[in-house]
Amino acid sequence: MNDMRGLLEETFRRAACFVESLPGRRVAASREADDLVPVLGGGLPKNGLPAREVLSRLDEIGEQGVVASAGPRYFGFVTGGALPASLAARWLAGAWDQNAFSEVSSPIGAALERVAMRWVLEALDLPADAGTAFVTGATMANFSALAAARRAVLLAHGHDADRHGLHEAPEISVLVGEQAHATLFKALGMLGLGRDRVIRVPSDDQGRMRVDALPDVDGPAIVCTQAGNVNTGAFDPVGAVCDATRAGDVWVHVDGAFGLWARSAAEFEELTRGIDRADSWAADAHKWLNVPYDSGLAIVRDAGALRGAMSVQADYLPHRESRDPFEFTPESSRSMRGAEVWAAIASLGRDGIVELVERNCRQARRFAAGLRDAGCEILNDVVLNQVLVAFGDDRVTAEVIRGVQREGTCWCGGTRWRGRTAMRISVSSWATTDDDVEQSLAAIIRSAHSVRAPELARP
Ligand SMILES: *Cc1c(COP(=O)(O)O)cnc(C)c1O
């Protein structure tokens, strides 16, 4: 135990050095996983090492394989950093090592979840009495919300899916936008609804579901909308989808992994209008709220539907009137994700969330303007924090992306958009300053020039 303090202090020292290195650090990792595996270990060691030795190996070897995605110039995928208060909460919660499955195993775990979720619902202006679950990410948030949806739409047609699953159930029509996120199909697959047995609703040139193309459906039905297309940032017109489907008992779900946070800011009132009329929502905390991995939020208007789909009965489990976390989550034993969400929001406040969202969107517009001025082609309407850019034909764009990643000032990934290769810039970090944007713009434009994209004006 004596050495415990020394070990934690040593951990603090190493972590602080890493965090301080982030602003100046090359963003890409310096070694590949295949190179790191033999250094980390071969066969199972017979004898253990002192904890300090384990820590120094982890740091010295591991550091070479770390992507500086927590730093200010990582624009890959949709990746938030870790807000200081949230990272601190993670450390302390690690020492507490609570099993947050129940109020009995951790009163503080249950309390933090209740307060944090109340704040989330207020920030997003969603129903205060919704059923909620802290899960690992938007994939599991979609899964959890859609499990509630599956249960509810089948119950409304006289089938108890909790008891019988899909055996002899009426068929559920599942409508999904053509541009839905890949993981939504996985969630549907895990629920027995099938990845391919969905009705794909055509979308427009920004990837928004076309309400005029929604087919009429009979019987139990779920429509999966999206708030924040992972390429363009575009939002499905959720309010109009609710209007179009309200006649039948269609469950409207919103995958708002990052986009849902736009509901906090008045600037995006028009974009996000009507989202509150849906039946369920999925969001990530580890994307735009800048909570460390992993952290997602499932929100279901009818709390009973989520509880019914997720609760378990056993003689040793407590029965309480208040919200007990395990009744709402797919997991039983779990970490206290409420701590990091609570800490993030406690440190930001409502104004801080709005500032973060608005700043990142302004920075995305700056990227688009700067690249356009340099002769690059912006492929999307920059309505949120996502920018798609092409530097010429597919080969040229792919080479520019490789050049940017190699050079290391910033990191942007590639994607395909409407038949073309594009670079995707996602601005989602609390740590990104306007100066980071200028440095990154310059690096991207340098890479474009060195590939000699023919369309590009020379400086
Ligand atoms: C990121 C994302 C997901 C998947 O989220 P995970 O946190 O990786 O599970 C789902 N939908 C959308 C729209 C996303 O952006």
Side-chain angles (χ1 to χ4, degrees):
M1 205 56 199
N2 272 351
D3 200 43
M4 188 64 147
R5 172 173 290 272
L7 178 68
L8 293 181
E9 281 171 355
E10 176 71 12
T11 309
F12 154 73
R13 195 188 59 74
R14 289 175 181 274
C17 285
F18 172 76
V19 169
E20 282 162 7
S21 80
L22 276 171
R25 202 182 166 84
R26 185 172 177 272
V27 179
S30 47
R31 293 182 79 178
E32 304 281 330
D34 283 351
D35 302 336
L36 294 167
V37 168
V39 197
L40 285 167
L44 174 68
K46 180 172 185 310
N47 298 308
L49 295 172
R52 287 251 199 162
E53 173 77 25
V54 174
L55 178 70
S56 70
R57 282 202 194 181
L58 177 63
D59 188 25
E60 278 140 36
I61 302 168
E63 202 256 359
Q64 306 166 52
V66 171
V67 174
S69 48
R73 294 185 304 280
Y74 186 81
F75 306 107
F77 308 97
V78 182
T79 303
L83 281 162
S86 201
L87 177 59
R90 155 72 55 98
W91 281 23
L92 192 58
W96 288 351
D97 188 29
Q98 297 289 279
N99 185 348
F101 94 100
S102 167
E103 224 176 294
V104 173
S105 58
S106 180
I108 183 60
L112 283 165
E113 288 196 3
R114 269 188 240 160
V115 176
M117 195 50 93
R118 181 193 161 153
W119 288 349
V120 168
L121 296 174
E122 280 191 35
L124 302 181
D125 192 19
L126 294 176
D129 56 353
T132 56
F134 287 79
V135 292
T136 50
T139 305
M140 286 310 288
N142 282 323
F143 171 85
S144 305
L146 291 169
R150 185 184 79 163
R151 174 183 200 272
V153 298
L154 288 178
L155 263 190
H157 286 80
H159 180 84
D160 183 347
D162 298 336
R163 295 184 60 205
H164 305 296
L166 294 178
H167 298 286
E168 285 162 36
E171 267 204 45
I172 304 176
S173 305
V174 181
L175 286 77
V176 179
E178 205 174 34
Q179 285 290 332
H181 197 269
T183 58
L184 185 87
F185 296 96
K186 171 170 162 173
L188 291 168
M190 290 193 289
L191 287 163
L193 297 173
R195 296 185 184 210
D196 293 337
R197 207 199 115 282
V198 297
I199 303 167
R200 287 180 184 251
V201 184
S203 46
D204 67 12
D205 63 348
Q206 296 298 311
R208 291 174 291 232
M209 183 187 280
R210 275 178 41 207
V211 181
D212 63 318
L214 270 173
D216 287 330
V217 287
D218 285 328
I222 301 170
V223 50
C224 302
T225 64
Q226 177 168 259
N229 177 290
V230 85
N231 283 313
T232 63
F235 280 47
D236 289 346
V238 181
V241 171
C242 291
D243 288 335
T245 54
R246 267 301 119 90
D249 0 294
V250 179
W251 181 291
V252 179
H253 172 69
V254 183
D255 175 4
F258 60 98
L260 209 57
W261 296 101
R263 271 183 71 78
S264 61
E267 182 182 330
F268 300 108
E269 203 268 322
E270 202 179 309
L271 193 65
T272 64
R273 193 177 300 149
I275 282 179
D276 51 318
R277 291 168 53 208
D279 298 290
S280 59
W281 304 267
D284 264 320
H286 57 219
K287 287 181 180 168
W288 226 346
L289 191 60
N290 279 258
V291 162
Y293 289 99
D294 43 23
S295 189
L297 310 163
I299 305 168
V300 178
R301 178 185 298 282
D302 173 4
L306 182 61
R307 186 184 220 147
M310 295 297 164
S311 67
V312 282
Q313 261 104 49
D315 292 336
Y316 63 84
L317 288 174
H319 290 281
R320 292 175 175 274
E321 285 309 303
S322 59
R323 175 191 189 280
D324 216 357
F326 75 86
E327 294 187 288
F328 295 86
T329 51
E331 304 90 352
S332 306
S333 299
R334 35 191 280 282
S335 72
M336 22 182 253
R337 294 198 180 82
E340 294 123 16
V341 175
W342 177 87
I345 302 180
S347 75
L348 290 171
R350 186 193 290 275
D351 289 353
I353 300 174
V354 174
E355 189 278 332
L356 170 60
V357 167
E358 289 184 346
R359 164 164 46 107
N360 285 165
C361 293
R362 175 172 55 70
Q363 291 169 330
R365 293 193 295 271
R366 170 64 193 135
F367 265 118
L371 290 166
R372 205 179 267 126
D373 287 348
C376 314
E377 192 184 350
I378 304 301
L379 302 182
N380 66 318
D381 295 344
V382 181
V383 293
L384 205 67
N385 62 335
Q386 305 289 116
V387 183
L388 294 177
V389 51
F391 300 91
D393 65 19
D394 288 357
R395 187 196 58 82
V396 169
T397 298
E399 260 186 62
V400 174
I401 295 169
R402 268 194 299 277
V404 167
Q405 295 176 352
R406 233 187 349 256
E407 192 263 350
T409 300
C410 65
W411 200 97
C412 304
T415 189
R416 298 279 300 170
W417 181 247
R418 292 171 71 84
R420 294 183 66 183
T421 295
M423 187 169 90
R424 186 161 70 123
I425 305 171
S426 173
V427 194
S428 320
S429 177
W430 72 280
T432 304
T433 64
D434 291 351
D435 183 56
D436 289 311
V437 173
E438 297 308 321
Q439 281 183 50
S440 304
L441 254 177
I444 295 168
I445 293 168
R446 274 199 307 275
S447 172
H449 285 166
S450 76
V451 179
R452 296 175 196 283
E455 294 84 344
L456 226 59
R458 290 235 146 231

